[in-house]
Amino acid sequence: MCPSLLHSRHVTGSWWREGVFYQIYPRSFQDSNGDGVGDLAGITRRLDHLNDGSPRSLGVQAIWLSPFYRSPMKDFGYDVSDYRDVDPIFGTLEDFDHLLEEAHRRGIRVLVDLVPNHTSDQHPWFIASRSSRNDPKRDWYVWADPRNGGPPNNWRAVFGSAEKRAAWTLDPASGQYYLHHFLPEQPDLNWWNEEVRRAIDDVMRFWLDRGVDGFRIDVAHSLVKDKLLRNNPRLFAKRRPRHNWELDEVHEIHRRWRRLLDEYDDRMAVGEVSSRKLSNLVRYYGNDDELHMPFNFNFLRQPWNAEKFRGVVEEWERLLPSHAWPDYTLTNHDRSRATTRYGLRNARVAALMLLTLRGTPFIYYGEEIGMTDVPIPPDRIVDVDGRDPERTPMQWDATAKAGFTTGRPWLPIAADADQVNVAAQRDDPASLFSFYRRVIWLRHGSPALRAGSYRSLRAPRGVFAYVREADGERLMVALNFLDRSSRVSIAENADVVLSTSDGRTGDRLQPAVELGPNEGIVAKLS
Ligand code: GLC
């Protein structure tokens, strides 16, 4: 499909419902100036890998860029000191505009990462807020007096060792504590303050006016914290909610953002919402008046087990109201890579599942070539929370620095990069990259896979099978999670259109599908 065709599907929302998303961690995608850190110009240079309008490319329709704003980089960009500028390490605003233009020219939409829960402690807002108890920006952050000579309450931060995990840091100059759910260098904004809400609205408008297609919203389920700063219950007992995450009032903010997005033409937002229970996650769709999608992270928590994945999908399908569109992901910049968790032998079945379920799939850079977590020697550890292994440089070719940089890469390059890389896999029809391309381009041409209904099929233990259907097209997907063969009975004719194993395309299956070990197929039912 050529880019102009991608543009011509004008139905509002179809691009983010039917498209395949790809997450880029800008530090690690492509360096263009030899400083060992990826940058925006590097991403632009590599856009043809993502979509050049032909099946030679991966064929994704949207990218999400992790933060590239000005930042002291204590949390590698998730500590923003200026929401409206590009950090010099990544380039300039002009580089961003150029990236956006080049992406759009290829039919690739662009989401930027909005980090509204906290800023950097170097953000001018926090510098002002900290400067005195009377500063007009004091109330933009959460300040509180000590209690019994210690922190105001028992809330815990997400990072750091257990003893140091208080979510509060004392500011000796004013004698008060400030709240931070991540590093002390990431003070939490006070979302009860209307000026804060307006300031973040302005940030959103800044990027929307520049032409971005939407946002991935960081820690979207937090933001608002209990006004009274009450202690959390010691054990997270079922009916005793925490006072610092997922307050009901957060939905008001999501509705506000939706109204703002709706002022623009066909934009969207996907929120990072770490609710474990799907019954809770579904609330984030609101009445089709909140964020367009909350991330469903439940796949990341499953062991490699067909019944578990099927359980997540069936529960999600049951819970979603008709206006809500699902999404799935297998990994991201905070989690161990899927290929490491499930093993390379299962990478194709995992990809086939992600890309053929009903819902928007999010791929993390490097998944398409089977990148795995890279062991980091102690003297090269840079992340505060052990996430370096899944953030190593993209492996483009077999040269010493994997085509990522000419300098010293900020994180080590995988030892197997000379074999696991884009160049080596591009012309090999049996490669994982070729498999990803086949599935994605099949999906583009298939109303059933892009937008069709979902129905589970009966299958033996270890096999996850389902039917997708739209516009008279009916496709069966059967995924064998086991290391041994399996057999799924079917009542009708089915012709294989795609398989994880070579040479099966065109096979007629009836009355059963014989699946090899770790094999997945897509077959047309007739
Ligand atoms: C989100 C991001 C993570 C970051 C944290 C604090 O969970 O995905 O990378 O460290 O928020 O901003």
Side-chain angles (χ1 to χ4, degrees), residues 233-250:
R234 291 241 169 262
L235 289 171
F236 295 150
K238 278 210 175 96
R239 275 180 300 278
R240 299 179 66 201
R242 291 182 293 171
H243 295 298
N244 51 343
W245 295 88
E246 298 206 65
L247 268 59
D248 287 343
E249 288 83 352
V250 82

Side-chain angles (χ1 to χ4, degrees), residues 54-182:
S54 84
R56 283 190 309 272
S57 61
L58 189 57
V60 301
Q61 286 98 350
I63 52 177
W64 145 34
L65 302 170
S66 281
F68 50 77
Y69 318 110
R70 274 190 191 267
S71 164
M73 302 291 168
K74 299 285 182 206
D75 188 14
F76 295 111
Y78 284 97
D79 48 325
V80 181
S81 57
D82 185 348
Y83 288 106
R84 298 158 183 252
D85 202 2
V86 173
D87 194 276
I89 201 138
F90 296 123
T92 62
L93 273 175
E94 287 68 44
D95 291 333
F96 178 79
D97 291 341
H98 184 57
L99 164 55
L100 192 61
E101 193 185 315
E102 286 297 313
H104 284 168
R105 208 163 61 76
R106 289 167 175 79
I108 304 173
R109 312 276 182 141
V110 179
L111 300 194
V112 296
D113 209 314
L114 183 73
V115 190
N117 180 70
H118 45 266
T119 68
S120 157
D121 64 342
Q122 299 307 308
H123 195 292
W125 299 342
F126 188 71
I127 293 175
S129 183
R130 174 180 235 171
S131 68
S132 107
R133 287 189 183 216
N134 304 320
D135 188 273
K137 291 225 165 37
R138 185 68 169 183
D139 187 53
W140 281 39
Y141 293 82
V142 185
W143 291 95
D145 291 329
R147 210 188 54 177
N148 306 327
N153 65 24
N154 67 359
W155 296 353
R156 301 263 147 206
V158 173
F159 297 151
S161 63
E163 325 79 75
K164 289 195 271 163
R165 267 185 165 193
W168 298 94
T169 289
L170 181 67
D171 172 49
S174 65
Q176 284 194 309
Y177 282 84
Y178 67 88
L179 182 66
H180 54 84
H181 274 91
F182 295 90

Side-chain angles (χ1 to χ4, degrees), residues 23 25 64 66 75 77-79 113 115 117-118 158-159 182-183 186 216 218-219 221 272 274 332-334 383-385 387 391:
Q23 180 191 356
Y25 195 68
W64 145 34
S66 281
D75 188 14
Y78 284 97
D79 48 325
D113 209 314
V115 190
N117 180 70
H118 45 266
V158 173
F159 297 151
F182 295 90
L183 293 172
Q186 293 169 292
R216 175 267 185 185
D218 193 57
V219 229
H221 55 311
E272 183 198 24
S274 297
N332 62 37
H333 65 294
D334 294 328
D383 181 48
V384 290
D385 208 30
R387 296 166 295 183
R391 297 178 174 178

Side-chain angles (χ1 to χ4, degrees), residues 10 14 20 31 41 46 55 72 96 118 151-152 181 209 258 273 284 309 317 323 327 330 392 412 423 431 465 479 524:
H10 271 319
S14 66
V20 175
D31 177 20
R46 293 294 190 179
F96 178 79
H118 45 266
H181 274 91
D209 290 341
R258 178 62 174 265
V273 176
Y284 287 82
F309 280 90
E317 287 283 342
H323 62 74
D327 63 77
L330 292 169
T392 61
S431 69
L479 308 164
K524 208 178 189 82

Side-chain angles (χ1 to χ4, degrees), residues 282-296:
V282 74
R283 294 179 58 209
Y284 287 82
Y285 287 97
N287 193 14
D288 199 16
D289 57 355
E290 299 194 21
L291 303 184
H292 297 74
M293 299 187 288
F295 270 114
N296 179 350

